[in-house]
Amino acid sequence: MSQLRTSKSDLARDFGISDDRSLSLFLKTLPGVDQVGAEARAVELGTRSIKKESKAWAIDMAISMVDLTTLEGADTEGKVRSLCNKAHRPDPTDPSVPHVGAVCVYNDMVKIARSHLDSIGANEIPVAAVATAFPSGRASREVKLRDTRDAIEAGASEIDMVIDRGAFLSGHYKSVFDEIVAIKKECGEKAHLKVILETGELVTYDNVRRASYLAMIAGADFIKTSTGKVTPAATPPVVLIMLQAVRDFFDRTGIRIGVKPAGGIRTSKDAIKQLVLVNEIAGPEWLSPAYFRIGASALLNDLLMQRFKMRDGYYASSNYVSIE
Amino acid sequence: MKESSNPFTYAPAPESRELVSIESSYDLFIDGKFIAPKSKKRFPSINPATEEVLSKISLGGKEDLDLAVKSARRAYEKVWSKLPGKERGKYLYRIARLMQERAREFAVLETLDNGKPIRETRDTDIPLAIQHFFYHAGWADKLEYAGHGSNPRAHGVVGQIIPWNFPLLMLAWKVAPALATGNTVVLKPAETTSLTALLFAQVCLDAGLPAGVINIVTGDGTTGASLIAHKGIDKFAFTGSTEVGKAINRALAATGRPVTLELGGKGANIVFEDAAIDQAVEGIVQGIFFNQGHVCCAGSRLLLQENIHDHFIEKLERRIEKIRVGDPMDKNTDLGAINSKEQLQKIVELTQSGEVEGAKAWQPDCALPSRGFWFRPTIFTNVTGAHRIAREEIFGPVLSVLTFRTPQEAIEKANNTPYGLAAGVWSEKGSRILWASRELKAGVIWANTYNKFDAASPFGGYKESGWGREGGRHGLLPYLTQSQTPRVRSGKGARK
Amino acid sequence: MSQERIDVKKTYKLFINGAFPRSESGRSYPIFRKASKVLLAQPAQASRKDLRDAVRAAREARSKWQSATSYNRSQILYRIAEMMEGRRSQFVEEIMAQTSATKSVAEKEVSESIDLWVWYAGWCDKIGQISGANNPINGPFYNFTSPEPVGVVGVFAEPDFPLLGLVRAMAPALVGGNTVVVLASEKRPLSAITLSEVIATSDVPAGVINILTGLRSELTPWLASHMEVDGLDISGEKSRSAEIRTLATENLKRIADFNTSISPNRILALMDQKTIWHPIGL
């Protein structure tokens, strides 16, 4: 496969994208996705049976990939602090349990999360902020940029932005693209950018593939499925399409983009299925929190309970894991 | 990245063998009873993944066949032909339900006996076999609406010979329509795969199916030849190689007795430049590596539009590297054992010819078990239409890649074979799909999919891939004698 | 001084690829008036090479005939009936000359032959509707079955009815979209040749219908075994059924063998059912 071996800043030029027309033409050259075939493949991979040591490995890997999330109107400082504690020591009784990938909160909670994590010695855990008028994205660009700047100033080192789905669906791809470029510029070297496609609103897999490429060329470090506020969210076939996109993008550019499914992944079984997809679609190089995250809240406790079960040999009780 | 450096290796996930109990030897199933063969001969049946002897199978001889045919005739005349269709249907429904209850047992037994992965027996073979009984059960009391006249009738006693690649599924394809249409059956399973047929016999007993309606005579090629030669059989159905099919037809041609033949193939899978590439890659993999390529309708010739050849092959090879070859009982195995030593030798011989003739072979670097019969998934590029690997049915996990420049050339190359069982076409352009589907000379066209089967979907070949259809309304026709409409007014007969 | 006019006799030739060649072998054979010794004509005695040429022509003509729309094929076959109507008297005379038929019997055979073309012509754009299917699949797939022609069909005309026995043997194969190589009645071949003259002026593309006269004993094995013949209608050759079926095995020719002439099953016997799958998705 011919590789561009390009640098991230040159991507648009290397893909020949200068305006709405060239971007639109490029997206339409991407191969189509057959829905039935894609879903059948996801189902087939869903039948993989992960047992014993590979299951133990997968559970710990999944824990380290969790972006432990609270995104509620009712979030409080106390809630965020206890979430941070959980992120740092998912099981306080067992130090062998890895810490999660990140803590993911609304903008106004970034500062609290950052300072609390630092205070408990969890400096290595990044704080991710949902910015850009999350979850709808319906605000002016100035507001979105300001939102991003605020989050970074408050200590966020990861920005989860939403794309303008309205613009995408009406064919104004360049507007979506330019917004990602602008937010990426705002992130600079200080924050990683995760671009949320909100695949539940894009509906078709063709759109998911196009939006994935659009985001990757515009400078995303991660492409993320969903806000968690829309269903369907991170279904296995959607993740499969996005994993194919990052794989093919890597083949072409040498740049490895991460993938973050978010929304609807609640059980260890769901999470392990995601890891199987990563392993068999993108490849084992993506099996790292650097390139795969799972946006979730309830999932972490289920992973812990599975861990107990594997350790103790009997089914665990939810009374033994903390509710955050 | 090599599997060894991948931290996410899947631990063995074996299906439990305890689900089945295999007897040390099996009798024939004739007239509702398991009886020892008059031939007094038995032969071992082995697990091709381990070469372990699973059981001793009875070798049915002429005398045994006489008994079976007599039993089928008696059951036809005394019981089955007198039973209303709706009652016949109820038996078939019962059989379907009993099979559902024992589905996992059938799956494990099939995997042990055949060598195919448990994932396939569990998710494909057994559910489809059950669906076949369920579907045909409903036809039994509706035959007058099947489009074969208002008074369609059964032939009587049907002799059926089935192959080893889908033992229970092929049994279902044969037995379900035969019984639904009111025929009685003498069935000969393949020599290497009799066990699920014998478990099916037990299911028939449990269902209370009247004695003699189905008789299962296990054996080898001589048993099959005796069945074909038997004068007491009204209609034959065979699935297997084109070579044997022709021999059967030659033996039966002069008798005028009807025969359905479902034979070999060399299916073309055509990928156009505008295909949904990832699903096409998946379809090619399904097309040739499903069931170790032991599939008569396998997409064994990949016809690639030349301008996407290199890119597509790269994607295909990467996908094939993910295929998990090994213990068929492991739930994560994608490619199991080759069914027999003989078949393995045939595959080896043909692939060697491919290399001698100048094609370029590629195989993934996967480990194979030390015992049993195995063959790595293989792709041949630089294949031309004259190569043996492009013309002969390999019946193994071996794909021959050819290229084309225009749609017309694709069709010409696809049709350039005496076979005509199945073909695939991949394009996101609707009109091209329909055009290619029309032009391809094959009985089954999978457009943007491959190797899909359904009880309601007619299956069968063009040209030397055989005749007659199995499945769907069309699959009933071979098991019915058509009531012909009145003759032309002037009638026939010699004029003086 | 009035002189009786000398009538112009017709040379009965083969019909291959839209042309009327003599046999390449240069042979002919005598046909006698009714059961008498009076020479009626000396039609061409086709050789196996003529048969080979006819099969080649039929093979070449497949794409033209198969790619024609059903409506178009229907009109062309109907056109044969129209053109026959204009040559009624010739057909009647020839039947009377070759058989023991009285005029009214011969008239009836001609009428029935014409009517049979009309009946079959109407099937062209209906056979797929009554025999195809839309199959309900357990999954997200559109799946349909429709009949397609097998290709080149060898047709054995019935021996006794020179015209009707020919029409009822060849019409069903043509309706299905097959091209045909017809062996005319050996002893009563003249109607077949006259019919070929009708066909030549009926918009039937060259090569779709090829008619050979000659000896069955000589031609049958070659036709039955020819690997580029895909199907046979042997309803008109019951006596050699076993031999033909055996010879036809090597390429698994589809065999139509009926006791009735009017049946859509007769069309379907020389067609294969094709089933097409396609996923249904967004």
Side-chain angles (χ1 to χ4, degrees), chain C residues 108-187:
Chain C
K108 191 163 172 251
E109 181 172 339
V110 175
S111 297
E112 282 184 12
S113 302
I114 295 171
D115 291 354
L116 197 58
W117 274 121
V118 173
W119 191 77
Y120 272 116
W123 269 116
C124 292
D125 48 9
K126 295 162 193 74
I127 190 71
Q129 291 182 308
I130 66 146
S131 77
N134 187 339
N135 308 302
I137 295 307
N138 178 31
F141 293 93
Y142 188 72
N143 177 300
F144 61 106
T145 301
S146 46
E148 290 190 345
V150 298
V152 175
V153 172
V155 173
F156 295 84
E158 293 171 31
D160 301 325
F161 296 87
L163 185 62
L164 184 59
L166 177 71
V167 174
R168 58 191 178 198
M170 65 194 262
L174 290 164
V175 168
N178 298 292
T179 58
V180 296
V181 173
V182 185
L183 300 190
S185 168
E186 180 175 318
K187 295 210 165 58

Side-chain angles (χ1 to χ4, degrees), chain B residues 191-268:
Chain B
E191 181 181 352
T192 59
T193 54
S194 304
L195 294 184
T196 48
L198 294 162
L199 181 58
F200 175 81
Q202 185 59 48
V203 162
C204 292
L205 278 179
D206 295 344
L209 189 71
V213 169
I214 174 157
N215 302 274
I216 296 175
V217 182
T218 52
D220 61 8
T222 63
T223 314
S226 304
L227 178 68
I228 293 300
H230 205 288
K231 300 278 186 288
I233 290 173
D234 303 304
K235 188 247 168 348
F236 295 88
F238 170 78
T239 294
S241 72
T242 290
E243 188 191 349
V244 175
K246 284 184 186 178
I248 289 174
N249 196 56
R250 215 170 279 123
L252 291 172
T255 71
R257 280 185 289 173
V259 54
T260 312
L261 299 171
E262 205 274 86
L263 309 177
K266 191 74 190 174

Side-chain angles (χ1 to χ4, degrees), chain C residues 8 14 18 31 42 48 54-56 58 66 77 83 89 110 128 132 145 151 159 164-165 168 175 212 222 228 253 269:
Chain C
V8 180
L14 306 175
I31 299 294
Q42 303 203 80
R48 64 183 159 88
V55 171
R56 189 175 295 153
Q66 289 173 17
L77 297 184
M83 299 306 283
S89 55
V110 175
T145 301
L164 184 59
R168 58 191 178 198
V175 168
L212 302 177
W222 294 104
E228 291 203 325
K253 289 180 183 65

Side-chain angles (χ1 to χ4, degrees), chain C residues 208-264:
Chain C
V208 169
I209 300 174
N210 304 277
I211 300 179
L212 302 177
T213 52
L215 308 186
R216 285 282 169 95
S217 58
E218 181 182 359
L219 296 173
T220 296
W222 294 104
L223 182 59
S225 63
H226 197 304
M227 293 293 276
E228 291 203 325
V229 173
D230 306 294
L232 297 171
D233 190 316
I234 62 167
S235 312
E237 188 54 292
K238 302 258 185 236
S239 60
R240 291 175 194 267
S241 166
E243 177 199 351
I244 294 171
R245 284 172 184 272
T246 306
L247 285 168
T249 287
E250 196 49 40
N251 67 337
L252 297 179
K253 289 180 183 65
R254 277 58 178 154
I255 308 277
D257 186 3
F258 286 82
N259 293 324
T260 173
S261 66
I262 295 191
S263 168

